[in-house]
Amino acid sequence: MDRRFKARLEAHFEDRLTGPVRQRHDETEIRIRPGDVVPVMTELHDNADFRFEFLADLCGVDTGEAMHVVYHLWSDTTPDWLRVIADGLSRDDPRAPSLTFLWPGAEWMEREAYDMFGINFEGNRDVRRIYMPPEYTSFPLRKDFHLPDDAARSPGAGSRHMEQAHLPTDTPSATIRRLPGSRQLPAKP
Amino acid sequence: MLIVAGTLTTKMAGPLIRLWEQMPEPKWCVALGDCTCSGGRYKRSYSTVEGIDRVMPVDVYIPGCPPRPEGLMYGMMKLQQLVKQRRGHWPERAIGPTVPQDV
Amino acid sequence: MTTTQRPSADDPRILLDQEAGVFEPIPPYPPRTEREAEFYTLGDGEMFLNMGPQHPSTHGVLRVVLKIQGENVVDLDPVLGYLHRGVEKLAENADYHQVISQVDPLEYVSSLFNEWGAVLSFEKLLDVEVPRRAEYIRVLSAELNRIASHSLFLGWMALDLGGLTPILWSFIERDEIVEMLASLTGQRMLFNYFRIGGVNGDLNHDFMSRLGNWMSRATEQIEAGQGLLNENEIFVRRMRGLGPIDTATALRMCFTGPNLRATGVPFDIRRAHPYSVYPELDFDIPTRSEGDSLARYLLRMEEVKQSLRIIDQCLHQMPDGPVIAKLPRLLRPRPGRAYAAVESPRGQYATYVVSDGTDQPFRMRIHDPSYIHLQSVGLLMKGNLIADTMAIMASLDPIMGGVDK
């Protein structure tokens, strides 16, 4: 946990952060808007205080309300990993700027985020499906894409919330014991 | 003899069937590993085919994740027995899990 | 054979190709992206060659469409997804304990590193302290797995160039290591050994006797295996200068692991961002500066020697104590995020887990090194012969289970 690093981040990016800088174990996390990704990343890459030349990971996250793009960076100026979360992408038409101008190796990571979530990266020359066949129309890792689950259709469907994803309509609700704090998933249409 | 090892996905199913059809007869198919026998631990995934016997006739199933080398050798010996039995006649083989008559 | 109604493209039932005809490399739809348009337009004297998903040396089911002019490859487009099993989606439906066995078959040659990456991120999320004996056992078994993986790399590398002997020798070596790990973990591959908070079982007599026996012969055996190729003129002349990459490009292509260290950057996660008990162990980070295939190969062989050093130190410094921390069966971490990276034989294997307070991960992202390295094959291939495609791909050491997840 590098306190001075946190201070440096707050000093440089105070107007671009949409939330506090969080630190836990050896990770520092900042949140920015998708429109600020390009200037923030360029600053982190080029500035001599930061020198984040290594992009460790780029992924998408679907929170159910919004989509995020999460970047992980590493630099030898700090012992912490830096996590940059670009949050606030809409779930209907998620768009984010591409980092391929800075790291050409992000091309396939963005392709995978497109394939799994539908996030369009502007500036990436090659946003097309990478895992699923080209005619596939859904985005598998979105929260509204449900896996077919045969356990829920059996009479012995239990109380795990995975098994509640497709409730047979004639199951009395008294037999289903919900764990405290389990999420109520919508019934499959 | 075609040994299919590793998970069969929906994208790979087409090329696999094409490969099977390109093979000249007499041909045999061995399903190696849990994923090819029944879908295995990826049975509930959106892109896995639950066992290659949904798309091609299988002669020997070798379960295990991963299958033991002794299992593979036993499967090969079973295949040798099958070859001896079927020499001379080639029955119609069904696609789908089938139970041989002398089990 | 006619179909009455074709299921939609998203239907999990397979869309069978009714005219089982020729596998056209050019897709039957207009190009959707700039890069696709650029690739699928033929210049003067060029043609497409499809190295199909079923191929003896594509390291698994990988399809590569080559654009060739004569014998030289002008460009190439890898098509992935033939082994995509949806592990990230399945992980959202499994317990934290169950996810560990789900990530095993990703890089199936070095499964312990897959488990380590997952377990490390869960331990960060749950603030679990792993007992020291468990950490030493983890390092010991993981370094054994690294040696096994690099032996396989040696054999595969030679096989892709046409040599049939080294793979048999490296499989003999790998067989011994894998039998050792089987006596420790119960399986020869896909070990399912690491648990959140420790490992599944303590060292036993069978494992220690096999390990002692192997260690006494290890150095000579490894030297013999490497001696087949290190000074072999055909091997060296084919590999030297093949697929060179310089440091700046490697960093921009997000290379990690031996591929990056072969270009001169001494970046090893065990030293740059230490985890487990690596700070207490004494080992060097081999680095080379040429950046070509020969450097990548020789670097991995040197890493095997460093792994032997680490195993030796682990055996001498092994403390006593429990091998797993006591954790409840139902694990509910508080909502948060954790990222953990380990140095697998291929590079940085990382897991990013998002928890929402329930007993199943909300999002489990697996970052695989082979996936990143495969995208630079096109960059390294320009102007080389078709036969060199396989050599370059083998020198980057991809495992398709990891690439396709």
Side-chain angles (χ1 to χ4, degrees):
Chain A
M1 244 199 274
D2 198 350
R3 304 268 180 223
R4 289 194 304 212
F5 178 50
K6 178 175 174 179
R8 264 187 293 154
L9 279 172
E10 279 165 350
H12 266 271
F13 299 116
E14 48 189 309
D15 50 336
R16 298 203 197 263
L17 300 179
T18 59
V21 177
R22 286 211 182 93
Q23 290 192 312
R24 189 169 169 205
H25 293 289
D26 51 358
E27 298 156 39
T28 307
E29 185 182 298
I30 64 174
R31 286 183 181 249
I32 59 178
R33 281 175 293 269
D36 284 333
V37 164
V38 170
V40 168
M41 288 295 177
T42 331
E43 174 91 14
L44 287 170
H45 184 260
D46 297 333
N47 196 321
D49 277 342
F50 293 123
R51 278 188 289 126
F52 277 94
E53 290 169 346
F54 182 58
L55 175 70
D57 192 24
L58 196 166
C59 66
V61 175
D62 183 5
T63 52
E65 285 106 39
M67 294 237 196
H68 301 171
V69 181
V70 182
Y71 308 88
H72 285 92
L73 301 161
W74 189 84
S75 156
D76 47 7
T77 54
T78 170
D80 284 2
W81 291 102
L82 176 64
R83 182 182 307 133
V84 181
I85 302 183
D87 56 8
L89 279 82
S90 77
R91 291 194 72 225
D92 302 311
D93 184 28
R95 297 189 163 268
S98 165
L99 286 188
T100 45
F101 68 97
L102 208 50
W103 285 289
E107 190 184 309
W108 274 23
M109 296 199 255
E110 291 174 353
R111 267 180 84 176
E112 189 196 342
Y114 168 71
D115 193 8
M116 295 284 120
F117 292 99
I119 302 176
N120 251 305
F121 287 90
E122 282 139 6
N124 188 335
R125 296 180 58 212
D126 201 17
V127 180
R128 55 184 162 123
R129 296 258 180 196
I130 190 163
Y131 284 147
M132 306 314 294
E135 313 88 43
Y136 204 74
T137 50
S138 323
F139 298 109
L141 276 174
R142 290 174 65 109
K143 288 295 173 192
D144 43 12
F145 182 92
H146 295 294
L147 281 179
D149 195 326
D150 45 337
R153 290 190 280 276
S154 77
S159 56
R160 302 282 304 283
H161 74 255
M162 171 181 81
E163 291 156 359
Q164 287 158 1
H166 318 264
L167 280 180
T169 45
D170 49 357
T171 307
S173 52
T175 58
I176 298 163
R177 209 172 26 92
R178 283 188 192 276
L179 288 171
S182 68
R183 279 178 298 135
Q184 175 104 25
L185 283 176
K188 187 172 160 65
Chain B
M1 178 180 73
L2 179 70
I3 298 184
V4 187
T7 319
L8 183 67
T9 58
T10 50
K11 200 169 176 181
M12 188 63 197
L16 182 66
I17 297 166
R18 203 174 283 118
L19 197 68
W20 177 250
E21 288 169 2
Q22 285 173 348
M23 282 171 71
E25 287 195 346
K27 57 187 177 184
W28 308 88
C29 176
V30 176
L32 183 68
D34 273 348
C35 294
T36 44
C37 290
S38 70
R41 63 173 91 194
Y42 300 111
K43 202 175 169 78
R44 299 206 182 123
S45 171
Y46 49 84
S47 66
T48 313
V49 175
E50 284 151 23
I52 61 171
D53 53 21
R54 295 210 175 193
V55 298
M56 42 203 283
V58 179
D59 294 297
V60 179
Y61 295 87
I62 302 174
C65 194
R68 292 279 316 177
E70 295 88 14
L72 179 59
M73 291 194 285
Y74 182 68
M76 292 296 113
M77 288 175 1
K78 264 278 182 250
L79 190 64
Q80 283 176 328
Q81 283 175 20
L82 280 178
V83 171
K84 245 190 242 176
Q85 280 166 17
R86 288 208 199 138
R87 189 171 285 162
H89 70 109
W90 201 248
E92 185 66 43
R93 281 189 292 181
I95 294 179
T98 51
V99 180
Q101 274 143 355
D102 54 349
V103 140
Chain C
M1 218 182 338
T2 54
T3 43
T4 46
Q5 191 193 19
R6 289 177 89 95
S8 81
D10 295 352
D11 199 303
R13 291 175 292 171
I14 319 120
L15 201 69
L16 294 183
D17 190 10
Q18 295 303 320
E19 314 91 28
V22 184
F23 202 172
E24 285 285 335
I26 307 176
Y29 45 79
R32 297 154 303 170
T33 65
E34 225 182 280
R35 162 88 180 127
E36 225 183 354
E38 179 201 353
F39 183 77
Y40 286 105
T41 336
L42 280 176
D44 203 18
E46 294 173 349
M47 68 175 256
F48 286 119
L49 184 67
N50 181 47
M51 258 172 176
Q54 196 275 326
H55 191 276
S57 45
T58 45
H59 291 268
V61 277
L62 166 68
R63 176 175 160 224
V64 181
V65 185
L66 302 167
K67 190 153 80 161
I68 56 178
Q69 185 162 33
E71 183 89 16
N72 292 313
V73 173
V74 170
D75 207 351
L76 62 80
D77 184 31
V79 181
L80 313 179
Y82 290 96
L83 198 54
H84 178 66
R85 297 168 280 201
V87 171
E88 294 185 352
K89 187 76 181 180
L90 288 173
E92 289 174 15
N93 283 341
D95 249 353
Y96 279 99
H97 296 283
Q98 291 168 339
V99 168
I100 300 169
S101 66
Q102 291 272 357
V103 296
D104 253 336
L106 290 180
E107 289 201 326
Y108 39 79
V109 167
S110 54
S111 331
L112 285 179
F113 294 95
N114 305 352
E115 294 172 29
W116 208 350
V119 154
L120 209 54
S121 64
F122 298 155
E123 286 163 2
K124 274 194 187 175
L125 204 56
L126 293 157
D127 293 319
V128 172
E129 200 186 307
V130 181
R132 281 178 49 84
R133 187 177 171 89
E135 294 278 27
Y136 271 94
I137 296 178
R138 278 184 182 177
V139 171
L140 175 65
S141 46
E143 293 298 327
L144 273 175
N145 205 354
R146 191 190 304 273
I147 298 178
S149 169
H150 283 327
S151 307
L152 186 66
F153 162 76
L154 191 162
W156 235 333
M157 181 86 241
L159 189 68
D160 281 348
L161 292 175
L164 298 173
T165 315
I167 190 158
L168 299 173
W169 287 35
S170 68
F171 263 97
I172 294 175
E173 200 183 309
R174 194 185 144 81
D175 197 59
E176 278 201 59
I177 300 175
V178 141
E179 284 286 332
M180 243 195 280
L181 286 169
S183 61
L184 178 67
T185 68
Q187 286 242 77
R188 285 164 59 103
M189 247 176 82
L190 315 182
F191 307 104
N192 196 13
Y193 182 53
F194 288 4
R195 299 283 182 269
I196 305 180
V199 291
N200 190 23
D202 207 342
L203 305 174
N204 51 34
H205 178 72
D206 191 20
F207 173 71
M208 295 306 286
S209 64
R210 278 188 207 242
L211 182 63
N213 191 0
W214 178 77
M215 289 282 287
S216 59
R217 293 176 285 117
T219 321
E220 297 93 55
Q221 201 172 0
I222 290 171
E223 296 278 321
Q226 293 175 16
L228 265 184
L229 291 175
N230 283 13
E231 270 139 48
N232 187 328
E233 187 181 341
I234 301 175
F235 187 77
V236 168
R237 279 179 69 169
R238 264 198 85 175
M239 299 266 279
R240 182 172 289 151
L242 190 68
I245 190 166
D246 61 319
T247 309
T249 321
L251 278 174
R252 286 188 313 132
M253 296 302 292
C254 306
F255 267 30
T256 45
N259 295 330
L260 181 63
R261 292 198 282 279
T263 63
V265 180
F267 179 71
D268 188 327
I269 296 185
R270 297 173 288 179
R271 283 269 184 259
H273 203 96
Y275 52 97
S276 187
V277 290
Y278 282 111
E280 299 166 25
L281 298 169
D282 180 34
F283 61 99
D284 302 321
I285 306 174
T287 324
R288 288 193 161 250
S289 56
E290 300 99 32
D292 60 359
S293 303
L294 189 63
R296 292 191 275 268
Y297 163 78
L298 289 172
L299 188 75
R300 288 188 171 98
M301 299 302 112
E302 284 173 29
E303 281 190 2
V304 169
K305 300 191 179 108
Q306 296 301 321
S307 289
L308 282 172
R309 267 177 81 181
I310 296 177
I311 294 176
D312 209 20
Q313 288 169 52
C314 280
L315 285 174
H316 286 129
Q317 297 175 16
M318 179 81 61
D320 287 322
V323 290
I324 190 164
K326 287 229 177 297
L327 282 177
R329 170 69 184 87
L330 196 67
L331 277 177
R332 292 223 214 100
R334 55 184 173 159
R337 294 155 290 275
Y339 180 82
V342 300
E343 177 78 19
S344 88
R346 272 147 210 92
Q348 181 213 185
Y349 179 90
T351 312
Y352 172 55
V353 62
V354 179
S355 145
D356 63 342
T358 58
D359 54 345
Q360 296 173 346
F362 185 76
R363 164 86 168 110
M364 170 128 169
R365 150 77 177 170
I366 297 151
H367 170 89
D368 194 271
S370 310
Y371 181 68
I372 307 295
H373 296 155
L374 208 59
Q375 62 182 320
S376 48
V377 176
L379 201 71
L380 303 176
M381 262 308 296
K382 295 263 155 67
N384 278 320
L385 306 176
I386 299 177
D388 293 332
T389 318
M390 289 301 120
I392 292 178
M393 213 177 294
S395 77
L396 293 175
D397 202 6
I399 294 283
M400 288 317 287
V403 175
D404 278 340
K405 288 204 272 286

